[in-house]
Amino acid sequence: MRRRLALALVAWSLGCASSLETSVSPVRVAAQRSLETAHTAFEQRAWRAAARSFGRAADAFAALDEISPEASAWRSQAEALRRAGDEEGAERAGARALVLDRQRGVPEDVARDLVGLARAAAARGDAGLAVARAEEALSLAPPASPLATLVQNDLAVYLLARGDAADRTRAASLLGAALAEATARGDAAGIAAAELNLARTALAGGDPDAAAPRLDRALAGYRGLEDPEGIASTHEVLAALARTRGDESLAAFHRGQAWAGFTFLDDRAALARLAGETP
C-alpha cells in the first residue's frame, strides 16, 4: 500500500500520472491562460491586447466544443473592441456570441449580447438600431434585475439620441422604473446611472433646474463608488448644463474633468465626442 502511494506521489510530482494527463488538456490550459491574459489587459485598459487574448480563448473553447465559455469570450472581445473604437470589430464579435447564445437558449446571455451590440450601434451613430437591440434585450432580461436596470438606462439614452417626440416620455418612464428598482435593491451603481440619465432627460426637455440636483446626486454616487467612467460621464453632462446656463467658465471646468477621466480610461469614442463639442 505504501509503495503504491509512494509511486503515485512520484508520478504526480513528475507530471506523468495518466490521470492528470487526461484531466487538464493543453488546449484547456491555453484557453485559461488566454483568459487570464485578456482580463489583465482589460484591467490595464489595453483594449487591443485584451481583444486578441479573448479571441484566442474563444478559439480554444470552440476547439473543445464548449459553447458557453466561447460565447462569453466573444462577448468580452466585443466590449474590448468597442472601447478601442473598433465598432465594426465589436459588431462581428458580438454577433458570434449572439449566435452561440441563441443556440444555447439562455435568455439572460442573449440579452447581454444584445446590450453590447446596441452599444456598438450607438457608437456608430445608429440610434434606431441601438433602440431595437436594447428593446429586445429588455424583453429577455429578468424583471427588476441589475441587468434589466442596465438595459433600461441604455435604452433611455438611445431614445434620447433618436429624438422622436414620444421618446423623451418613454425614456423618463424607463428611468423612473430603473431608479425605483435600484433603490429597492440598494444598488448604488444603478441609482447613480438612473440619476445621471434622468438629468440627461431633463436637459433634453429644456429643464436645467430639474437636471442639476440629479447630477449632484449622480456625481456623489459615482465618487463614492470610485467609478472613473461614471464620474467622467457626469462631468460631461454637467458641462452641458453649465453651457445651457451660459456659464462657459464652469462648462470648461467640467469638460476638462470629463476629458481627464476619459483619457485615463482611453475611451476613444467619448474623447472624440468631447473633441467635437465647443470648449
Side-chain angles (χ1 to χ4, degrees), residues 222-265:
Y222 282 128
R223 282 172 172 167
L225 291 164
E226 299 185 345
D227 180 344
E229 185 173 7
I231 291 169
S233 296
T234 307
H235 277 296
E236 182 181 5
V237 183
L238 281 164
L241 172 63
R243 284 195 300 273
T244 298
R245 290 175 162 174
D247 191 336
E248 294 300 329
S249 176
L250 185 59
F253 166 76
H254 286 300
R255 183 180 181 278
Q257 294 297 100
W259 187 275
F262 289 132
T263 298
F264 171 79
L265 294 165

Side-chain angles (χ1 to χ4, degrees), residues 47-170:
W47 310 126
R48 290 286 182 181
R52 286 192 295 272
S53 293
F54 280 127
R56 285 194 290 269
D59 288 339
F61 284 123
L64 295 172
D65 201 25
E66 294 190 5
I67 295 177
S68 178
E70 181 191 353
S72 178
W74 288 127
R75 188 186 313 125
S76 297
Q77 186 192 62
E79 178 64 12
L81 289 170
R82 183 185 67 82
R83 288 174 180 264
D86 183 357
E87 291 84 15
E88 291 184 1
E91 290 264 7
R92 287 193 297 272
R96 296 182 77 165
L98 182 61
V99 168
L100 293 170
D101 284 328
R102 287 198 192 280
Q103 182 179 341
R104 291 173 59 227
V106 180
E108 193 167 348
D109 285 344
V110 173
R112 289 191 177 93
D113 298 332
L114 289 164
V115 166
L117 286 166
R119 289 179 174 180
R124 288 192 290 102
D126 192 340
L129 181 56
V131 166
R133 287 171 170 172
E135 291 277 21
E136 185 180 356
L138 185 58
S139 74
L140 296 169
S145 66
L147 178 58
T149 298
L150 182 151
V151 180
Q152 287 165 327
N153 274 282
D154 281 7
L155 177 54
V157 172
Y158 306 148
L159 288 166
L160 293 174
R162 189 171 67 175
D164 291 350
D167 284 346
R168 194 164 60 249
T169 300
R170 175 92 194 286

